[in-house]
Amino acid sequence: MKKTNIIKNKEKSIQKYRFSVQLIFALLCVWIGVEFFLFAKYLESGGSAPFYQRPPGVEGFLPISSLMSVYYFFITGSVHQVHPAGFFIFIAIAMVSLVFGKSFCSWFCPVGFLSELVADFGEKLFGRKIRIPKYLDYPLRSLKYLILFFFSYSIFMGMDALTLKLFLDSPYNIIADLKLYYFFADISRFSIIVLSSLFVVSIIIRNFWCRYLCPYGALLGILSILSPNKIKRNASSCIECGLCAKACPSSIKVDKVKVVVSDECTTCLSCIDACPVADTLFLQPVKTKITINNRILAFGVVGIFLIITAVGIFTGRWQNNITKEEYLLLHKNLDRIGHVSSYDELETDSSLTNIKTKNR
Ligand code: SF4
Ligand code: SF4
């Protein structure tokens, strides 16, 4: 370890702010889940139970549909009206990642939050971090990019504006949220085994899902490379203690580089918090000397997310234009939707023609 006159790092840890944002976001997701449960109960009653408005925030859990809406927007210039909230949430997440790296994963994502809690528990249980050897880590990390490539190729190469519109207007896309809900509400034995296995593996290997399998994380990782704000290390004041690398949940060798350029860096700032020497690790825009302190980062990630979603809400584009009558009809045909791409195969209903022509 290099000997130098150490000026202690007195910057307050950002981790409690990050934890608060993660917790609030996770509770918001639970609230959305409860509201969606009540909406599903209304549909299951065939319309006789009290009506609960479907929470638009649920569309944040439909990343493929949202990516298609974004693509549709770029081709046509209009926001598709079936999952508009998903469109704004997707743009907000992408913008946060473009400005502050893959920060969505460590500041907002409920799966990332759960993975972090589970991994912390695992480290307490085993008394140490378990790292996958490099020869396995690199090929496994490419899995999420392969999954992303598969989805992106199907969307960007196989669909023009008309095909996109047909899919986005289709019953399958409209009730994608209900399908997702019933995936968990009527979960199959196979899915329980898969999810439990992922849970157990995540106790042993930190962020297993996020690091190796999540295609959303892969996309944000690519965007984060373009982010101007990077973790930088001042090599002249660094005492080479290695605490930053030890603290990094993404196993990045922060102590060996001058600038962290990695698709795995989630801007969690654990490295900066762990560094014992003042002004040695910091978040800075490239080619500048302006340091982004903890508070600016916290306001920045939350602010960008809130501003973009607020644009959706205050321009009246947050709620979709599907009526409860249409949802009731689609719910009645739920088991048959999944292999159909149009209304033609659904049960004929006297009001259906009016509903679909009126809406789209
Ligand atoms: S390099 Fe620092 S900010 Fe990036 S993931 Fe590792 S600890 Fe977090
Ligand atoms: S924590 Fe990392 S950057 Fe800070 S002094 Fe130790 S090795 Fe250097």
Side-chain angles (χ1 to χ4, degrees):
M1 195 189 300
K2 205 161 64 175
K3 284 192 181 153
T4 181
N5 290 330
I6 299 176
I7 303 167
K8 286 229 163 119
N9 184 3
K10 288 191 184 142
E11 173 104 67
K12 280 195 185 137
S13 164
I14 198 169
Q15 301 310 319
K16 67 171 191 281
Y17 297 113
R18 194 169 67 82
F19 180 81
S20 308
V21 175
Q22 285 176 308
L23 186 63
I24 291 169
F25 207 77
L27 291 175
L28 186 65
C29 292
V30 172
W31 181 27
I32 288 170
V34 171
E35 284 197 314
F36 197 83
F37 166 80
L38 295 171
F39 171 68
K41 290 290 147 207
Y42 164 77
L43 297 180
E44 284 166 15
S45 75
S48 58
F51 174 65
Y52 284 91
Q53 188 76 42
R54 171 185 167 279
V58 74
E59 293 164 21
F61 293 91
L62 306 174
I64 308 290
S65 175
S66 304
L67 178 61
M68 292 171 90
S69 292
V70 171
Y71 185 40
Y72 182 78
F73 176 78
F74 280 117
I75 298 180
T76 64
S78 7
V79 177
H80 193 272
Q81 273 309 299
V82 167
H83 295 311
F87 167 83
F88 284 102
I89 294 170
F90 191 96
I91 295 280
I93 292 171
M95 283 310 293
V96 168
S97 306
L98 262 178
V99 179
F100 290 115
K102 213 165 112 177
S103 47
F104 172 77
C105 302
S106 67
W107 284 80
F108 298 109
C109 179
V111 180
F113 182 43
L114 188 63
S115 297
E116 211 175 305
L117 296 179
V118 167
D120 288 346
F121 167 73
E123 273 171 35
K124 284 207 177 88
L125 195 68
F126 299 114
R128 68 187 182 95
K129 272 193 182 121
I130 296 173
R131 311 229 192 229
I132 285 200
K134 264 189 190 162
Y135 66 87
L136 272 180
D137 185 52
Y138 283 124
L140 283 176
R141 272 165 59 189
S142 63
L143 282 178
K144 60 179 183 291
Y145 289 102
L146 287 176
I147 302 170
L148 175 68
F149 175 77
F150 168 76
F151 286 123
S152 310
Y153 186 83
S154 320
I155 296 170
F156 298 122
M157 295 298 151
M159 291 189 166
D160 55 16
L162 180 65
T163 331
L164 262 180
K165 183 166 166 43
L166 281 175
F167 177 83
L168 291 171
D169 283 341
S170 70
Y172 182 85
N173 184 48
I174 293 172
I175 57 152
D177 45 9
L178 276 166
K179 287 266 181 194
L180 184 67
Y181 168 77
Y182 285 114
F183 172 82
F184 289 104
D186 293 335
I187 193 159
S188 67
R189 190 179 298 176
F190 176 73
S191 304
I192 291 178
I193 293 171
V194 171
L195 291 178
S196 314
S197 311
L198 277 173
F199 185 83
V200 172
V201 176
S202 301
I203 296 177
I204 305 165
I205 300 161
R206 182 172 278 273
N207 295 344
F208 183 84
W209 166 262
C210 312
R211 191 170 176 87
Y212 301 120
L213 298 173
C214 178
Y216 217 151
L219 176 67
L220 302 185
I222 294 170
L223 293 178
S224 76
I225 297 288
L226 305 174
S227 165
N229 298 307
K230 305 280 185 215
I231 304 284
K232 293 185 190 170
R233 185 177 64 96
N234 179 355
S236 54
S237 60
C238 172
I239 55 168
E240 293 164 19
C241 62
L243 290 175
C244 48
K246 203 172 159 201
C248 177
S250 303
S251 306
I252 296 168
K253 299 217 172 302
V254 188
D255 55 334
K256 302 284 183 246
V257 293
K258 281 192 174 170
V259 181
V260 174
V261 182
S262 167
D263 59 328
E264 297 299 337
C265 176
T266 60
T267 325
C268 66
L269 301 200
S270 300
C271 52
I272 295 182
D273 286 340
C275 180
V277 190
D279 303 325
T280 299
L281 269 187
F282 30 77
L283 183 67
Q284 264 185 359
V286 282
K287 296 193 189 293
T288 73
K289 298 279 176 216
I290 308 159
T291 297
I292 298 172
N293 68 27
N294 290 350
R295 210 171 291 171
I296 295 177
L297 174 69
F299 278 118
V301 287
V302 175
I304 292 173
F305 193 87
L306 290 182
I307 288 170
I308 295 177
T309 46
V311 168
I313 294 169
F314 293 112
T315 54
R317 287 157 185 263
W318 192 244
Q319 297 274 357
N320 69 16
N321 60 3
I322 315 294
T323 60
K324 59 183 178 186
E325 290 77 17
E326 190 170 0
Y327 270 119
L328 281 167
L329 176 72
L330 292 174
H331 186 270
K332 205 160 74 175
N333 287 279
L334 191 66
D335 289 340
R336 303 176 56 205
I337 299 171
H339 63 281
V340 292
S341 58
S342 74
Y343 280 88
D344 301 342
E345 293 177 48
L346 300 186
E347 273 178 35
T348 45
D349 186 296
S350 57
S351 55
L352 175 60
T353 316
N354 293 339
I355 290 168
K356 62 179 185 182
T357 350
K358 192 179 76 184
N359 285 335
R360 289 172 296 281

